Amino acid sequence: MHQMSSEMQSCIDECLRCYQTCVGMASNHCLPAGGKHVEPEHFRLMLACAEICRTSAHFMLLGTSHHKHTCAECADVCEDCARSCEQVGDMQHCVEQCRRCAESCRKMAA
């Protein structure tokens, strides 16, 4: 098994937390709230964010150098998701987690 840096382990943890946050907020906050919380563009972005976070974590766990590509895309999607959640409002936990994940992924993509 390859040795994993503490920075990579931290990024995996952030990605998995962001995955959990986006899926949880979409399912348990946005769906019940309705309205702007479930507008297609916003809701799809939350699901896309969750999926790219899960994929980035998976690539890092596999130990493939391709994680740099998924992490770069993950950082972009997380930033877009954070902005969307901020505009919708009442989603600060998601905003903060997406921004933490984006920052961590940017470091891993470098």
Side-chain angles (χ1 to χ4, degrees), residues 4 6-23 49-50 52-58 60-61 71 74-75 78 93-108:
M4 190 176 303
S6 61
E7 188 175 61
M8 183 176 285
Q9 183 59 58
S10 175
C11 189
I12 291 167
D13 294 343
E14 289 297 344
C15 285
L16 293 175
R17 272 194 291 275
C18 198
Y19 165 74
Q20 182 178 7
T21 299
C22 287
V23 169
C49 187
I52 193 65
C53 288
R54 182 171 69 160
T55 300
S56 291
H58 192 128
M60 286 182 279
L61 287 165
C71 285
C74 188
C78 282
H93 179 63
C94 201
V95 171
E96 290 168 4
Q97 184 56 55
C98 284
R99 291 213 168 115
R100 280 193 300 272
C101 187
E103 182 180 340
S104 187
C105 279
R106 269 191 295 277
K107 291 177 189 172
M108 289 310 306

Side-chain angles (χ1 to χ4, degrees), residues 21-27 30 37 41-51 81 84-85 91 94:
T21 299
C22 287
V23 169
M25 289 287 284
S27 300
C30 291
H37 286 86
E41 188 175 339
H42 170 72
F43 202 77
R44 285 186 189 116
L45 183 56
M46 288 189 73
L47 297 179
C49 187
E51 189 58 35
C81 190
S84 182
C85 289
M91 298 189 68
C94 201

